[in-house]
């Protein structure tokens, strides 16, 4: 018994001894960027309370085997990221960790200042090789590009969604939530793929892209597919500016980047026998359009092997929590590197910190790369214009098996789930109904069988002449006729007690490659004074809230029968021919038709032939079933209008000739913002009433108009020869970035100038100089008579991310001529912009 007790004591002491020594722990893992999911090589991985530590390899991997392990905290640090911490016990033995680092500054980071700036030295070396390594300085290059864009939803509460009466019918979707790939669970929502051949030539400058396949479930639109190619998504780090969400940010390899960035070299590594410098860059000043990030650069050759660019919440971009750009380069030979793959990740947050967040993850891979090729030179010799983007027939109709062969890599489990879920949703009648209701509320239109109603916001409005105005639109859709669109509306005013309306038809004779369209229309309605493209119509319910008070609004009714023929000829050239017959009848605050005597025909009635010549080089469009809308062009748009009025045709009364020219453009002035300009001029030959002269567009609303004179009212000034200039310079954050409060609010600065010179011949002045019927003291119209009309403005843009406030001053004419009422105005407007 005594021996047994001694043996028990011995075992206990042995157990205590082993416990005090510790046990073996084997732990391994991978360190990745939490946004781009790229491995973070050479990150420091160490235990807080012991001597154990190491760096990750180039693939971000690490392994520890510790024989006498005691409970400790594992830390991971890398410059530009927050320190990651995780407590470990012996229970985590043999565990494989997936560590995701988040961008930010590590607390306690030490900045070492030296007399010799190693980072600036390395930047100068990189810049000395810029022309050699920038692919856009090659004679030509080409490749096949595979684009993939995944859209996920973060901060999604599946339990609440299942109880929501709008979403509960689609609860099976919520089973796809991924709770393991990232720290915060997310719901994979949508996937877009495209495959294209792309080629570039530097002299003369030419681009070519052929979209071979595009997978956009639910969107069978070739114009949309063109925008998914690489033509509009190329990011070149060697360029002076990197375009992000249509805003130019200063590249760390801009020719003058040393004025905007702080450069450091905190580390060097040797990989496959080659020494690499860790090149880190950060903005010098808060609020600048500049990136944080890093790159790995080879010794002696100074080639960039990989680079990461990062924009956080402080960047002056709306609805974005963070943006990450990653690019990896491979050597094609001893002197040329080329892009191998890139990633663009963005977190979109519209409603606030804890609201739904959309995560866009775009990845692009490149293969079959050719450079300085004679075959490309020969191919470009037949291309007459700078840029050509084509889509193959059936670009959106490729089978799943065809996609399996075309993809550069295989789909992940999440990506496969997305396709299966969307296919199921699109087949559900309840989802189709939900989709229809959302489109109706946001777009205004609704399809009912083969017909279309809307827009709903035009159903009710009001004005001084008509009182409450009711309007109902009815049109056809592509289910009835693919290339012919019929539309009309009927309106009724409770005060004038009259019906008005429109009947029109579009015939798309040819859609591609060059469009031909025929338009016939008859309209009998009250002219409500807004005809400028992009301006707010007064024929909708919202205009009631922003109408200027104490303005004698002027009304006339118009009967207009017109025929238009539009033709494209390629290269940006198009013509539009017009034949129109119009009858005007002044209704309120305008001279009556009886004041205008004519030798033939009916007063205020004209027959007109016109042609508009338009040049918009490399203009891009988004097409709908019948219409298309300009997205962008890199060059000015020029429009020349010629019109001839002929008396004696269907009781027309006037002979005249009109000429007008308009030039407009959107110019990037990086890093000083953007400039919109419009120059127009015109000349009218003939003795004519106000209805056929140039009625300079005024604004009867408190809603700011970009294409009108905001301190001028409608029908205020007449001219038969004129010239005007509109300038708007959007500076960006401007002075607001120097004030922490306004920098945080992301306010933006701008200024505007609108100038007009006009005159009226003595003959036209004589027949239109009629005393105002209300006051019997002043003319109904004014002419500038060689004076300058000038209004200037500035204000605050991006208030709450959607509102803009304009303060506008009229500097001339003087108040003695133009009156004192419209010398200053405050206008509001809103727009959705990044």
């Amino acid at each position: 018994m005594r021996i047994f007790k001694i043996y028990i004591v011995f075992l206990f002491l042995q157990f205590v001894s082993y416990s005090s020594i510790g046990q073996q722990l084997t732990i391994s893992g991978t360190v990745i960027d939490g946004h781009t999911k790229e491995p973070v090589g050479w990150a420091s991985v160490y235990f807080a309370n012991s001597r154990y530590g190491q760096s990750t390899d180039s693939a971000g991997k690490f392994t520890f085997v510790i024989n006498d392990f005691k409970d400790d905290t594992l830390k991971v640090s890398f410059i530009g990221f927050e320190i990651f911490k995780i407590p470990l016990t012996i229970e985590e033995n043999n565990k494989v960790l997936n560590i995701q680092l988040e961008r930010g500054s590590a607390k306690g980071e030490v900045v070492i200042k030296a007399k010799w700036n190693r980072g600036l030295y390395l930047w100068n070396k990189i810049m000395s090789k810029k022309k050699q390594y920038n692919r856009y300085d090659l004679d030509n290059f080409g490749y096949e590009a595979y684009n993939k864009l995944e859209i996920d939803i973060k901060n999604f509460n599946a339990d609440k969604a299942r109880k929501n009466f709008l979403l509960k019918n689609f609860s099976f979707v919520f089973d796809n939530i991924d709770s393991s790939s990232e720290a915060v669970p997310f719901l994979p929502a949508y996937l877009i793929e495209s495959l294209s051949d792309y080629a570039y030539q530097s002299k003369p400058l030419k681009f070519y892209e052929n979209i071979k396949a595009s997978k956009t479930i639910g969107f069978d639109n070739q114009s949309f597919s063109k925008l998914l190619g690489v033509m509009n998504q190329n990011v070149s780090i060697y360029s002076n500016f990197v375009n992000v969400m249509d805003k130019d940010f200063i590249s760390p390899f801009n020719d003058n980047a040393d004025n905007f960035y702080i450069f450091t070299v905190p580390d060097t590594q040797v990989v496959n026998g080659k020494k690499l410098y860790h090149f880190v860059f950060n903005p010098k000043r808060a609020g600048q359009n500049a990136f944080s990030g890093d790159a790995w650069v080879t010794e002696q050759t100074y080639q960039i092997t990989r680079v990461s660019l990062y924009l956080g919440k402080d960047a002056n971009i709306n609805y974005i929590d963070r943006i990450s750009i990653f690019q990896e380069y491979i050597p094609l030979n001893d002197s040329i590197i080329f892009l191998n793959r890139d990633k663009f990740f963005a977190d979109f947050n519209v409603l606030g910190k804890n609201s739904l967040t959309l995560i866009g993850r775009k990845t692009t891979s490149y293969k079959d790369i050719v450079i300085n090729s004679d075959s490309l030179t020969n191919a470009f010799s037949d291309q007459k214009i700078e840029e050509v983007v084509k889509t193959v027939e059936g670009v959106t109709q490729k089978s799943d098996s065809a996609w399996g062969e075309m993809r550069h890599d295989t789909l992940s489990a999440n990506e496969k789930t997305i396709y299966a879920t969307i296919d199921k949703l699109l087949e559900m009648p309840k989802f189709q109904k939900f989709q229809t209701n959302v489109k109706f509320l946001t777009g205004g239109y609704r399809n009912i069988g083969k017909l279309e109603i809307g827009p709903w916001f035009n159903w009710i409005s009001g004005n001084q002449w008509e009182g409450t105005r009711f309007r109902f639109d009815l049109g056809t859709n592509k289910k009835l006729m693919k290339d012919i669109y019929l539309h009309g509306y009927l309106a009724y005013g409770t005060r004038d007690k009259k019906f008005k309306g429109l009947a029109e038809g579009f015939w798309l004779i040819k859609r591609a490659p060059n469009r031909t369209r025929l338009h016939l229309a008859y309209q009998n309605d009250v002219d409500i004074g807004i005809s400028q493209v992009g301006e707010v119509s007064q024929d909708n319910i919202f205009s009631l809230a922003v109408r200027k008070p104490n303005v004698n609004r002027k009304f006339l009714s118009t009967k207009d029968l017109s025929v238009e023929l539009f033709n494209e000829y390629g290269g940006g050239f198009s013509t539009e021919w017009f034949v129109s017959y119009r009858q005007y009848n002044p209704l309120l605050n305008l001279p009556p038709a009886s004041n205008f005597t004519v030798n033939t025909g009916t007063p205020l009635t004209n027959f007109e032939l016109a042609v508009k010549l338009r040049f918009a080089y490399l203009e891009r469009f988004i097409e709908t079933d019948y219409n298309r809308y300009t997205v962008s062009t890199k060059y000015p748009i020029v429009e020349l209008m010629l019109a001839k009025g002929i008396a004696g045709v269907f009781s027309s009364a006037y002979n005249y000739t009109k000429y007008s020219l308009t030039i407009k453009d959107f110019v990037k002035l990086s890093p000083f913002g953007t400039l919109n300009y419009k120059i127009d001029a015109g000349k009218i030959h003939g003795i004519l009433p106000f209805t056929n002269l140039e009625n300079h567009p005024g604004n009867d609303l408190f809603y700011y108009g970009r294409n009108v004179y905001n301190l001028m009212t409608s029908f205020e000034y007449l001219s038969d020869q004129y010239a005007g200039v509109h300038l708007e310079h959007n500076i960006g954050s401007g002075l607001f970035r120097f004030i922490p409060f306004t920098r945080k609010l992301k306010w933006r600065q701008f200024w505007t100038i609108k100038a007009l010179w006009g005159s009226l011949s003595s003959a036209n002045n004589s027949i239109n100089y009629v005393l105002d019927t209300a006051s019997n003291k002043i003319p109904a119209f004014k002419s500038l008579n060689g004076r300058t009309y000038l209004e200037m403005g500035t204000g605050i843009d991006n208030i709450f991310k959607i509102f803009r406030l304009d303060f506008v001053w009229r500097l001339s004419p003087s108040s003695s001529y133009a009156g004192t009422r419209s010398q200053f105005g405050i206008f509001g407007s809103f727009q959705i912009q990044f």
Side-chain angles (χ1 to χ4, degrees):
M1 190 68 177
R2 179 182 175 90
I3 295 174
F4 178 74
K5 289 181 179 180
I6 294 173
Y7 178 70
I8 293 297
V9 170
F10 172 76
L11 289 177
F12 175 77
L13 292 174
Q14 189 177 44
F15 175 78
V16 171
S17 174
Y18 286 163
S19 298
S20 64
I21 294 174
Q23 302 181 52
Q24 187 182 76
L25 174 78
T26 301
I27 200 82
S28 62
T30 304
V31 179
I32 63 174
D33 184 323
H35 204 207
T36 65
K37 310 307 175 192
E38 285 297 313
V40 178
W42 306 291
S44 298
V45 186
Y46 56 95
F47 286 91
N49 301 320
S50 69
R51 65 185 184 277
Y52 298 105
Q54 61 179 262
S55 295
T56 59
D57 62 16
S58 59
K61 297 184 180 297
F62 67 90
T63 300
F64 286 98
V65 178
I66 303 174
N67 290 321
D68 56 348
F69 179 77
K70 295 181 180 180
D71 292 356
D72 208 336
T73 297
L74 183 69
K75 292 185 176 182
V76 182
S77 66
F78 192 72
I79 191 164
F81 291 86
E82 296 177 355
I83 294 177
F84 179 90
K85 301 176 184 179
I86 180 172
L88 292 178
T89 68
I90 194 62
E91 301 296 327
E92 273 77 38
N93 188 36
N94 295 321
K95 189 172 183 178
V96 178
L97 302 176
N98 181 29
I99 297 174
Q100 301 188 35
L101 300 184
E102 297 297 333
R103 286 280 178 176
S105 298
K107 295 180 179 179
E109 276 188 356
V110 178
V111 179
I112 300 175
K113 294 184 178 181
K115 293 183 179 179
W116 178 58
N117 190 330
R118 191 181 181 197
L120 184 59
Y121 174 81
L122 180 57
W123 177 79
N124 281 312
K125 288 295 185 180
I126 296 170
M127 295 302 291
S128 70
K129 300 286 187 177
K130 176 177 177 175
K131 189 171 181 64
Q132 178 181 342
Y133 297 144
N134 185 3
R135 63 185 183 273
Y136 291 103
D137 284 321
L138 297 170
D139 291 340
N140 60 54
F141 62 82
Y143 50 70
E144 181 185 78
Y146 169 60
N147 258 326
K148 184 165 55 178
L149 172 62
E150 180 181 338
I151 300 173
D152 302 325
I153 303 175
K154 191 170 69 174
N155 297 333
F156 187 84
N157 191 317
D159 293 333
K160 286 185 177 180
R162 287 186 172 93
K163 298 174 183 177
N164 187 292
F165 76 98
L166 291 175
L167 302 177
K168 64 182 180 181
N169 294 314
F170 319 116
S171 59
F172 69 93
V173 175
F174 314 142
D175 297 332
N176 300 330
I177 289 179
D178 185 334
S179 58
S180 59
S181 299
E182 297 188 4
V184 179
F186 63 91
L187 176 67
Y190 198 72
L191 185 66
I192 297 172
E193 297 178 274
S194 70
L195 187 77
S196 62
D197 290 327
Y198 178 82
Y200 166 86
Q201 176 180 274
S202 58
K203 294 180 181 179
L205 182 64
K206 290 183 181 180
F207 307 83
Y208 172 82
E209 184 168 17
N210 182 32
I211 314 291
K212 299 190 289 187
S214 177
K215 194 161 188 176
T216 55
I217 298 180
F219 297 94
D220 187 9
N221 187 313
Q222 290 197 14
S223 66
F224 182 64
S225 298
K226 287 183 178 181
L227 297 178
L228 296 177
V230 294
M231 185 80 78
N232 302 302
Q233 304 177 34
N234 272 325
V235 171
S236 173
I237 58 167
Y238 286 109
S239 298
N240 283 332
F241 299 94
V242 176
N243 188 268
V244 178
M245 313 307 292
D246 204 32
K247 293 186 181 297
D248 281 350
F249 284 75
I250 301 165
S251 168
F253 307 105
N254 182 293
D255 293 338
N256 300 302
D258 54 330
N259 293 327
F260 302 95
Y261 284 94
I262 298 171
F263 303 118
T264 57
V265 183
D267 192 16
T268 58
Q269 296 289 338
V270 177
V271 180
N272 298 326
K274 292 184 178 180
K275 187 176 181 180
L276 296 178
Y277 296 107
H278 187 200
F279 179 69
V280 176
F281 43 86
N282 287 289
K284 277 188 175 180
R285 290 169 286 274
Q288 284 185 326
N289 282 1
F291 298 96
S292 296
D294 64 325
W296 290 95
V297 183
T298 57
E299 186 185 35
Q300 295 182 343
T301 61
Y302 302 105
Q303 296 174 345
I304 295 174
T305 61
R306 56 171 54 195
V307 61
S308 295
L309 309 176
Y310 178 77
L311 293 172
K313 293 181 179 180
D314 293 335
N316 200 324
I317 303 182
N318 290 333
Y319 316 117
I320 300 293
D321 277 349
R322 55 180 177 168
I323 289 177
S324 295
I325 300 171
F326 169 84
Q327 291 191 335
E328 181 182 73
Y329 290 80
I330 56 173
L332 297 184
N333 53 44
D334 293 338
S335 60
I336 296 177
I337 60 172
F338 205 89
L339 190 61
N340 179 47
R341 62 191 180 98
D342 65 14
K343 293 183 176 183
F344 183 98
F345 283 16
D347 289 8
F348 299 85
N349 190 320
V350 177
L351 298 178
K353 183 177 179 180
N354 296 316
S355 63
L356 290 181
T357 298
L358 294 180
I359 308 173
R361 314 175 195 265
K362 185 186 81 71
T363 61
T364 306
S365 56
Y366 306 86
K367 72 176 188 179
D368 301 333
I369 300 168
V370 294
I371 61 170
N372 301 334
S373 166
D374 291 337
S375 62
L376 289 180
T377 302
N378 294 332
F380 275 122
S381 65
D382 297 327
Q383 183 174 313
K384 304 303 181 185
I385 61 175
E386 180 181 310
E387 180 181 298
V388 172
V389 181
K390 295 182 177 179
T391 56
V392 301
E393 187 175 351
V395 65
T396 61
Q397 306 298 323
K398 303 298 181 183
S399 65
D400 290 342
S401 59
W403 271 107
E405 295 177 359
M406 292 186 294
R407 290 186 182 102
H408 290 186
D409 55 20
T410 58
L411 293 179
S412 67
N414 278 343
E415 291 164 348
K416 292 177 181 177
T417 299
I418 289 172
Y419 279 142
T421 301
I422 293 174
D423 286 338
K424 186 174 180 179
L425 276 174
L426 292 175
E427 293 174 358
M428 293 178 64
K430 289 183 178 179
F431 180 77
Q432 294 169 6
K433 184 178 180 180
F434 176 76
Q435 191 177 33
T436 299
N437 291 335
V438 170
K439 287 181 179 179
F440 181 56
L441 289 173
T442 56
Y445 294 89
R446 185 186 188 97
N447 288 320
I448 302 175
K450 297 178 181 181
L451 300 176
E452 172 191 78
I453 63 171
W456 60 263
F457 42 78
N458 283 354
W459 286 352
I460 184 169
S461 60
N463 57 65
Q464 293 168 262
W465 178 257
E466 295 178 278
T468 302
R469 173 183 166 103
F470 298 97
R471 169 177 155 174
F472 184 76
D473 291 65
L474 185 66
T476 61
N477 58 38
K478 64 180 182 179
K479 292 181 180 179
L480 184 65
M481 291 174 287
K482 179 183 177 183
D483 296 319
I484 296 178
Y485 173 64
L486 303 177
H487 166 254
Y489 68 77
L490 186 66
Y492 181 78
T494 58
R495 180 173 295 171
D496 68 348
K497 301 187 185 303
K498 287 187 177 181
F499 286 98
K500 307 97 181 172
L502 165 75
E504 63 178 341
F506 288 91
W507 178 20
L508 288 175
I509 301 171
K510 187 171 67 172
R511 291 178 181 263
N514 297 314
R515 174 170 288 218
T516 301
R517 181 195 72 227
L518 180 66
H519 178 217
L520 291 84
Y522 174 73
Q523 185 176 26
N524 183 356
D525 203 350
V526 175
D527 187 332
I528 49 178
I530 289 289
S531 59
Q532 300 292 316
V533 175
E535 300 304 324
V536 174
S537 167
Q538 297 189 38
D539 186 17
N540 69 71
I541 192 170
F542 302 115
S543 68
L544 299 174
V546 292
R547 191 166 291 156
K548 292 178 183 177
N550 304 318
V551 172
N552 288 325
R553 298 187 63 213
K554 299 168 184 178
F555 296 86
L556 75 160
S557 68
T558 305
K559 293 181 180 179
D560 185 358
L561 178 64
S562 63
V563 180
E564 302 169 16
L565 178 64
F566 173 83
N567 279 293
E568 279 184 323
Y569 301 97
F573 287 101
S574 65
T575 61
E576 192 164 7
W577 295 87
F578 304 85
V579 180
S580 63
Y581 174 72
R582 296 188 184 94
Q583 292 179 305
Y584 298 99
N585 181 29
L587 300 174
L588 183 65
N589 296 325
L590 289 170
S594 59
N595 282 19
F596 300 91
T597 58
V598 294
N599 296 323
T600 181
T602 304
L604 306 187
T605 301
N606 68 285
F607 178 83
E608 184 177 283
L609 302 176
V611 61
K612 180 168 73 174
L613 309 178
R614 189 173 190 269
F615 179 64
Y617 190 52
L618 302 182
E619 189 173 22
R620 297 190 181 102
F621 303 94
I622 281 288
E623 297 185 15
T624 59
D625 293 337
Y626 302 105
N627 299 309
R628 65 181 187 181
Y629 304 94
T630 298
V631 176
S632 65
T633 177
K634 297 185 290 185
Y635 299 97
I637 296 174
V638 181
E639 295 178 348
L640 175 64
M641 188 83 169
L642 308 172
K644 178 66 177 177
I646 304 173
V649 181
F650 303 120
S651 72
S652 63
Y654 306 102
N655 289 304
Y656 58 86
T657 306
K658 295 182 179 182
Y659 315 93
S660 65
L661 176 68
T662 301
I663 303 172
K664 55 187 176 181
D665 197 11
F666 171 80
V667 183
K668 291 187 176 181
L669 304 175
S670 304
F672 305 110
T674 61
L675 177 69
N676 281 280
Y677 73 82
K678 176 184 174 183
I679 303 170
D680 62 336
K683 173 72 175 177
I684 301 171
H685 295 280
I687 301 173
L688 300 168
F690 69 94
T691 52
N692 295 101
L693 297 172
E694 179 65 21
N695 287 274
H696 299 296
N699 188 359
D700 294 337
L701 304 175
F702 282 123
Y703 190 94
Y704 183 81
R706 291 179 182 270
N707 296 312
V708 302
Y709 298 95
N710 288 278
L711 296 178
M712 185 187 295
T713 59
S714 299
F715 296 106
E716 184 176 1
Y717 285 93
L718 297 182
S719 296
D720 53 24
Q721 60 181 0
Y722 63 92
V725 176
H726 293 197
L727 298 175
E728 180 173 315
H729 182 198
N730 290 279
I731 303 170
S733 54
L735 296 174
F736 292 132
R737 69 183 176 89
F738 297 106
I739 306 170
F741 174 71
T742 54
R743 183 171 66 237
K744 184 176 181 181
L745 292 176
K746 300 185 179 181
W747 283 1
R748 296 171 186 170
Q749 188 181 358
F750 64 90
W751 59 262
T752 61
I753 294 178
K754 294 181 181 181
L756 173 66
W757 299 269
S759 64
L760 196 63
S761 67
S762 57
N764 280 325
N765 187 66
S766 176
I767 71 167
N768 288 282
Y769 193 91
V770 182
L771 291 182
D772 184 274
T773 54
S775 65
N776 203 38
K777 291 182 179 179
I778 60 173
F781 309 105
K782 294 194 284 281
S783 172
L784 290 170
N785 288 327
R787 296 176 176 86
T788 298
Y789 178 93
L790 180 64
E791 61 182 39
M792 295 184 64
T794 187
I796 305 171
D797 194 8
N798 210 42
I799 302 171
F800 304 120
K801 300 180 182 179
I802 60 172
F803 292 108
R804 165 170 154 161
L805 200 60
D806 283 75
F807 304 95
V808 183
W809 291 264
R810 190 193 70 219
L811 303 184
S812 66
S814 64
S815 57
S816 61
Y817 181 80
T820 59
R821 185 170 57 186
S822 299
Q823 292 180 298
F824 173 74
I826 301 176
F827 299 86
S829 60
F830 66 90
Q831 59 182 337
I832 305 298
Q833 60 178 336
F834 287 108

